[in-house]
Amino acid sequence: MLYGGAAGGGKSYGQVVDSFLFALKYPRSKQLILRRTYGELEKSIIRQAADIVPAELGRYSRQDHAMKLVNGSIIDFGYCARENDVRQYQSAEYDVIRFDELTHFTEFQYKYMLSRIRGANGYPKRMKSSTNPGGVGHDFVKARFIDTGAAPGRKVYCGERTRLYIPATVKDNVFLMRADPGYLKRLEELPERERRALLLGDWDIFDGQFFSEFSRELHVCEPFPIPAEWRKTVSLDYGLDMLAVLWIALDFSGRAYVYREFCSGNDNASDGGRPLIAGEAADEILRLSGEEEISCFLAPPDIWNRQKDTGAGIADIFAEHGVPVTKACAERVSGWQAVKEWLRPVTDELGMKTARLKIFSPCRYLIRSLPLLQHDPKNYNDAATEPHAITHAPDALRYFLADRGTRAEPARDAFESDGTEGFIYAGY
């Protein structure tokens, strides 16, 4: 079950109350409430539990990080600062596990903890989560609960399990509405984007989103034949865990079109396939490029690092297979700034709002990944590197746009030879 969405819905408070009621109803039951850090637990969940649970029914043990009730029930308070911290619960058994702020956790952590819900006492076995949109787990939570196609409040049957999403709204928090009735009015007066996120709990907009400029309506277009005269570049991000390749064309007015992608190496990639070694990756790039004239193959500097056993670099292997890569600028902050500039809305020749960067709709992996990137918590001007699986295609785009900077330049001077003023193909 997931209860989440808008700000002010009383999600953490609801978790505490629900856990207390379950503990009273089922003697000697065991529950676990999780946050990402102990500091977050102490400042919210633990304080609320101490306020809610009457002293004659239960007491909090600071040493054990647990609330122990008089009927033998236990509510543990745990945290998983690092991904593998979930393994500390390897031998644990719980009737109910509760993730507070689920999107702060990874999909691996969530699925691992599902295996800790077990026991022969006959009590209901549940995973109950609450969260706002945003965080490293935003993508998997949205896919698991929001994008199922089921109406909110309706169960989705997945084998022996069921999933249920209950939208949280500020109006659900009757305590807040009574104490501060003006809070709702303040949310309604926010700018449109913030209003949709905080008041409506829109899962396509979330706090911490790095590319708030991205818009499917503005930046995604349907495919059209790329003119042979347009300059074409292949930009790639390669690692043994995943390969991400983008084919990008520049028109005569300086607009860039990502017209093809190939991503391989994890279940979320565009082909869902296995990781490719360097030679296989180069062969696949050549196969997909076909007879196209590619002006440049851009790759990150780390593939020029020499291997200890052979003395050769990944770049050498690419070259041997017919893909002569050029070293791209890998500076992150200026590179991301260039991406933001190319995403920024501009006005075209007809006075319509458009963008200098367009992405063909079949490039689903890039379209999915860009809006999911978040700000690095340690450097607001950089994008976070977690979850790692969604960073590869945006990195490949960054290499291309950082190489061009923030300028919009024509692909070549071909328009001067035929006397035209340049054109926008197929209305884009």
Side-chain angles (χ1 to χ4, degrees), residues 316-331:
D316 298 321
I317 300 175
F318 272 85
E320 291 170 2
H321 284 256
V323 180
V325 287
T326 298
K327 192 178 296 186
C329 173
E331 210 288 320

Side-chain angles (χ1 to χ4, degrees), residues 71-328:
N71 65 355
S73 291
I74 295 176
I75 304 172
D76 284 333
F77 300 91
Y79 60 97
C80 299
R82 297 180 299 272
E83 188 165 54
N84 280 327
D85 284 352
V86 292
R87 299 190 188 279
Q88 66 185 303
Y89 301 102
Q90 187 171 0
S91 60
E93 291 186 6
Y94 290 102
D95 300 298
V96 181
I97 295 178
R98 303 170 184 272
F99 282 92
D100 190 48
E101 292 299 347
L102 177 58
T103 56
H104 292 186
F105 296 83
T106 67
E107 185 173 18
F108 166 75
Q109 290 174 314
Y110 183 82
K111 289 185 174 179
Y112 184 90
M113 294 307 296
L114 280 171
S115 68
R116 304 302 92 202
I117 301 176
R118 54 183 179 163
N121 56 18
Y123 293 167
K125 301 296 182 283
R126 300 283 188 266
M127 180 75 87
K128 294 188 174 184
S129 304
S130 51
T131 197
N132 289 321
V136 296
H138 177 93
D139 187 29
F140 96 82
V141 174
K142 185 172 183 287
R144 192 176 187 90
F145 290 99
I146 314 303
D147 295 338
T148 60
R154 296 290 298 274
K155 292 181 179 179
V156 176
Y157 293 89
C158 306
E160 296 181 356
R161 293 195 182 105
T162 60
R163 298 176 190 168
L164 175 64
Y165 169 55
I166 302 175
T169 71
V170 66
K171 293 180 180 179
D172 295 320
N173 191 341
V174 294
F175 305 103
L176 178 61
M177 289 292 93
R178 291 171 184 167
D180 187 5
Y183 181 64
L184 178 61
K185 182 66 174 177
R186 294 196 295 273
L187 290 179
E188 291 173 341
E189 292 176 348
L190 287 170
E192 177 63 15
R193 184 176 182 83
E194 287 74 15
R195 187 187 68 84
R196 287 170 55 194
L198 297 177
L199 178 61
L200 304 179
D202 191 330
W203 280 81
D204 287 325
I205 300 172
F206 56 88
D207 189 32
Q209 189 174 30
F210 191 78
F211 287 118
S212 58
E213 302 87 351
F214 180 80
S215 164
R216 290 177 186 265
E217 293 77 14
L218 197 63
H219 298 105
V220 179
C221 68
E222 292 306 309
F224 58 82
I226 297 292
E229 297 81 11
W230 289 9
R231 180 179 295 164
K232 304 174 185 68
T233 300
V234 170
S235 187
L236 63 99
D237 186 57
Y238 176 78
L240 279 178
D241 61 327
M242 186 174 173
L243 166 72
V245 189
L246 304 178
W247 283 257
I248 308 171
L250 283 171
D251 70 9
F252 297 140
S253 61
R255 288 190 180 88
Y257 294 83
V258 182
Y259 64 94
R260 184 186 299 133
E261 72 171 16
F262 178 76
C263 302
S264 182
N266 65 51
D267 293 340
N268 293 320
S270 56
D271 76 330
R274 63 180 177 84
L276 301 178
I277 61 175
E280 293 174 322
D283 292 342
E284 191 66 18
I285 291 171
L286 287 180
R287 184 186 70 82
L288 292 171
S289 298
E291 300 299 320
E292 293 176 341
E293 179 184 346
I294 305 298
S295 64
C296 181
F297 295 89
L298 287 172
D302 59 4
I303 73 167
W304 272 264
N305 296 338
R306 300 290 176 179
Q307 306 297 307
K308 291 182 179 180
D309 52 347
T310 65
I314 300 297
D316 298 321
I317 300 175
F318 272 85
E320 291 170 2
H321 284 256
V323 180
V325 287
T326 298
K327 192 178 296 186

Side-chain angles (χ1 to χ4, degrees), residues 30-43:
K30 296 180 180 179
Q31 299 179 77
L32 172 65
I33 302 180
L34 286 166
R35 285 293 295 258
R36 195 66 194 249
T37 68
Y38 180 71
E40 293 171 338
L41 273 174
E42 196 170 34
K43 292 176 182 178

